[in-house]
Amino acid sequence: MDETLDEPPTSAVFLDNCHFSQVIFNNVEKFYVPGGDVTCYYTLTQHITPRRKDWVGIFRVGWKTTREYYTFMWAPFPSDLSGDSVVQQQIQFRAYYLPKDDEYYQFCYVDEEGVVRGASVPFQFRAETEDDILVVTTQGEVEEIEQQNKDLLKENKELKESCLCLQKQNLGLQEELRLAQEKMKELEGEVCFLQTGNLELRRAQELQAGEMSSAQMNLASIREQNIKLGKENQELQKGLESLRSSCEKLELEGNFLKEENKRLTEQNGCRERELQQFKEHNQEVSSEKEQLESRLKTTLDHMDQLQSQVLNQEKEMENLVRMDHDKTEQLEHLKEENRQLRVTLTEQKEQEVKLEQCLEDLKHQNHNLAKELEEKNHLFQILQRKKDEIEEKNLRLKQENNELLMRLSESPDYSAQVAVPSAQVPTRSPESADLLFGNPYYQSLETYGVNVPSVKNCPLCREVFSDDIGPHQYEDHVRSHILDCPYCDETFEDKQVYDDHVYCHSLE
């Protein structure tokens, strides 16, 4: 049956993964005569389990995958199937679906997974001896066919070379795209690293700002303490001055008492009663003096303590001034570091802007490369389609050539044409000058005279009509040979092909 109506299960499995010994093909001829049915005999070994979707196909020698079959038939499911027995099967291919060329072909048994389980020896579709077929062609036609084949081969070679060049360019573009993506990833990693460093710098800057604010607060508190200590120092100096003035008064009083005691001792000889009084008074004055001396001593001790306190306060003031100077220098140093950090931060921002620009350029280049790759792929698809069309045209030309040769061999006037000498070969008509092999049904009047066939000749059954028959009757006769499919819009001239086509519709 026709493979276009019911496609078999195929796959892209290559020859290395196939098992050719599980199905053995028997009685395969070297040559099969074209135009006749072909019966294929094969044996199912115990190593294969047949399934209902298995099929047997005819492949041209040199095939790569199971998708390259020429025609196929569903393999009949064995009625008696046991695991250890060998089953003999056969299948018949209709003549209409068989190849028409003389290439080498082989039978292949394919399971429902698209894997080849057996293959036959190669064979050809032609007569066993080529001397039985005589093909009449002119030397010009042969040269023209050879020239066309050479042109087609040359064009096919150029298309293959251009396809290889495009594939190489595609691989180069893919490699450049991969390198660009890797470079983009590296730049993204560097950007992330710079962003983390920027965050760390900002945190350090915030910490330094907090330390500067705390140092400023400490400096303000130290200044306030310094002002308080200055006020206390001034109060202590005032007290010291008052103590010094009282001490001077006491010294003056002591000097005055000494002079008075001296004067009293001089008057001691003359006034004994006054002496006793003076003694008592002297004792009182001496006791008072002792008290004043003790007070003076305590006052002097207090003055020494005050002086030591003043010295300690002066030392503390010097230390505070030194600390203030150190804090000021540290503040200046922190300001300089802050300025340097700002400069580095601005430089990092400029670098980030440059990196972003580079990233945008890389994205734009990546977009251009992707666009160019898409255009190359589109051009490659167009070239591939042109190549397929050329191959299809070449195949159709070969098939038409074979069909014309077959029709020539089957025509009733063919033997008469073969018997004509080479000097009497009919010339081409002007209407058939553009045909590749000419019109096989045209014969010149000068050669055959009155034996010219009638114009109204049925092309299907070869029935000849008289000249007085109407055109409608002739068309009705020709239309009676054409068979219309009741399921689709296709028409057929061969009854066997029509029956097979209707049978395929019934299977659906």
Side-chain angles (χ1 to χ4, degrees):
M1 66 186 67
D2 194 356
E3 62 272 18
T4 58
L5 298 176
D6 191 5
E7 295 293 337
T10 59
S11 67
V13 178
F14 294 96
L15 298 176
D16 298 335
N17 299 324
C18 297
H19 306 280
F20 297 99
S21 62
Q22 296 180 358
V23 177
I24 300 171
F25 288 90
N26 304 319
N27 301 326
V28 179
E29 301 291 340
K30 293 183 179 179
F31 307 99
Y32 288 99
V33 179
D37 297 341
V38 174
T39 304
C40 174
Y41 301 94
Y42 60 92
T43 303
L44 299 176
T45 64
Q46 64 271 17
H47 301 291
I48 185 172
T49 302
R51 287 176 283 189
R52 297 190 181 276
K53 286 288 185 178
D54 294 352
W55 55 282
V56 178
I58 296 177
F59 291 78
R60 181 178 292 176
V61 174
W63 57 274
K64 300 297 182 183
T65 63
T66 55
R67 297 173 182 172
E68 300 177 13
Y69 65 90
Y70 184 86
T71 185
F72 79 98
M73 291 290 290
W74 294 112
F77 192 76
S79 58
D80 186 11
L81 183 63
S82 59
D84 298 332
S85 62
V86 177
V87 181
Q88 301 288 336
Q89 294 287 99
Q90 68 178 17
I91 192 170
Q92 189 176 17
F93 289 90
R94 301 289 181 87
Y96 178 78
Y97 302 109
L98 295 176
K100 304 299 188 294
D101 54 8
D102 56 352
E103 296 289 336
Y104 282 92
Y105 293 88
Q106 62 181 154
F107 298 112
C108 292
Y109 188 94
V110 186
D111 61 6
E112 67 178 9
E113 295 178 355
V115 180
V116 178
R117 300 296 181 181
S120 69
V121 296
F123 55 86
Q124 288 181 291
F125 289 95
R126 64 180 180 85
E128 192 167 353
T129 58
E130 294 183 356
D131 297 335
D132 296 340
I133 299 175
L134 181 61
V135 179
V136 178
T137 55
T138 62
Q139 185 66 26
E141 292 175 352
V142 172
E143 291 177 355
E144 186 178 358
I145 292 169
E146 290 179 353
Q147 185 64 33
Q148 288 181 356
N149 288 331
K150 287 180 181 180
D151 294 339
L152 290 172
L153 289 172
K154 185 177 180 181
E155 189 174 357
N156 190 7
K157 186 176 180 181
E158 290 176 355
L159 288 173
K160 287 181 180 178
E161 291 177 355
S162 62
C163 183
L164 290 174
C165 293
L166 289 173
Q167 288 178 354
K168 290 179 181 179
Q169 290 178 2
N170 190 6
L171 291 174
L173 290 173
Q174 288 179 356
E175 184 67 20
E176 291 178 0
L177 182 61
R178 185 180 64 79
L179 294 174
Q181 289 178 353
E182 291 178 356
K183 192 172 183 181
M184 190 187 302
K185 289 181 180 178
E186 292 178 358
L187 290 174
E188 288 178 356
E190 291 179 358
V191 169
C192 293
F193 179 73
L194 291 173
Q195 287 178 354
T196 53
N198 192 8
L199 290 174
E200 291 178 356
L201 288 173
R202 287 180 181 176
R203 290 174 184 172
Q205 188 177 0
E206 291 176 357
L207 292 173
Q208 288 178 358
E211 290 179 357
M212 286 176 64
S213 61
S214 61
Q216 289 176 357
M217 291 174 66
N218 292 328
L219 183 60
S221 62
I222 289 168
R223 286 178 180 175
E224 290 177 357
Q225 290 178 2
N226 193 3
I227 292 168
K228 289 180 181 179
L229 289 173
K231 290 180 180 179
E232 289 178 358
N233 192 8
Q234 289 178 0
E235 291 177 356
L236 289 173
Q237 285 180 358
K238 288 180 181 178
L240 183 61
E241 289 177 356
S242 62
L243 287 173
R244 284 178 180 175
S245 62
S246 62
C247 185
E248 288 177 354
K249 288 179 181 179
L250 289 173
E251 286 179 355
L252 292 172
E253 288 179 357
N255 293 325
F256 178 74
L257 288 173
K258 285 180 181 179
E259 291 177 357
E260 190 176 357
N261 189 11
K262 195 175 186 179
R263 185 175 60 80
L264 287 173
T265 53
E266 289 177 355
Q267 291 175 0
N268 193 15
C270 58
R271 293 180 182 179
E272 290 182 357
R273 286 184 293 181
E274 291 180 2
L275 181 59
Q276 188 66 31
Q277 293 177 356
F278 279 115
K279 284 182 180 180
E280 292 178 358
H281 184 69
N282 193 9
Q283 288 178 357
E284 291 177 358
V285 171
S286 61
S287 62
E288 189 175 356
K289 182 180 177 182
E290 288 177 357
Q291 290 179 359
L292 289 172
E293 287 179 353
S294 62
R295 286 178 64 187
L296 181 60
K297 189 175 180 181
T298 54
T299 303
L300 292 172
D301 292 334
H302 186 63
M303 284 179 65
D304 292 334
Q305 291 177 1
L306 289 174
Q307 286 179 355
S308 63
Q309 288 180 1
V310 169
L311 290 174
N312 291 327
Q313 288 179 358
E314 287 178 354
K315 289 180 180 180
E316 288 179 358
M317 283 290 293
E318 289 177 356
N319 291 328
L320 288 172
V321 170
R322 192 180 297 108
M323 287 175 66
D324 189 8
H325 182 69
D326 294 337
K327 292 290 183 180
T328 305
E329 290 180 353
Q330 189 176 4
L331 182 62
E332 292 294 331
H333 184 66
L334 290 173
K335 285 181 180 179
E336 183 66 23
E337 287 183 353
N338 191 9
R339 186 181 65 78
Q340 292 178 359
L341 287 173
R342 286 180 180 176
V343 171
T344 54
L345 186 61
T346 53
E347 291 178 354
Q348 288 177 358
K349 286 182 179 179
E350 291 177 356
Q351 291 179 359
E352 287 179 0
V353 171
K354 291 180 180 179
L355 288 173
E356 288 177 356
Q357 290 178 357
C358 292
L359 189 61
E360 291 295 330
D361 294 337
L362 287 173
K363 287 181 178 178
H364 184 66
Q365 291 178 2
N366 191 7
H367 179 69
N368 292 332
L369 287 173
K371 188 175 181 181
E372 187 176 355
L373 182 60
E374 185 177 358
E375 292 177 356
K376 295 290 184 181
N377 289 329
H378 182 65
L379 182 60
F380 175 73
Q381 292 175 0
I382 292 172
L383 292 173
Q384 188 69 27
R385 284 199 296 270
K386 288 183 178 179
K387 179 186 173 184
D388 296 337
E389 290 175 359
I390 290 170
E391 289 177 353
E392 289 178 0
K393 287 180 180 179
N394 192 8
L395 184 60
R396 283 200 300 270
L397 288 172
K398 288 183 179 180
Q399 291 178 356
E400 288 177 1
N401 189 8
N402 293 327
E403 289 176 359
L404 288 172
L405 292 175
M406 290 178 65
R407 288 182 182 180
L408 277 172
S409 62
E410 293 174 358
S411 65
D413 300 332
Y414 178 70
S415 59
Q417 292 177 3
V418 172
V420 175
S422 61
Q424 297 179 356
V425 173
T427 60
R428 289 190 181 183
S429 66
E431 293 82 359
S432 62
D434 296 333
L435 296 177
L436 183 61
F437 299 100
N439 189 354
Y441 304 104
Y442 176 79
Q443 295 174 344
S444 63
L445 295 175
E446 292 80 1
T447 306
Y448 296 98
V450 295
N451 293 324
V452 177
S454 176
V455 175
K456 294 182 180 179
N457 188 6
C458 180
L460 302 177
C461 66
R462 305 297 181 183
E463 183 178 353
V464 179
F465 296 92
S466 60
D467 295 336
D468 56 353
I469 190 172
H472 296 289
Q473 295 177 358
Y474 175 75
E475 291 176 359
D476 293 337
H477 175 78
V478 175
R479 196 177 292 109
S480 64
H481 292 290
I482 299 173
L483 301 174
D484 295 328
C485 178
Y487 298 100
C488 63
D489 296 335
E490 293 189 17
T491 58
F492 300 90
E493 299 176 0
D494 193 340
K495 185 66 168 58
Q496 180 182 355
V497 178
Y498 172 76
D499 294 337
D500 292 339
H501 180 79
V502 174
Y503 177 70
C504 290
H505 280 298
S506 63
L507 291 177
E508 295 177 356

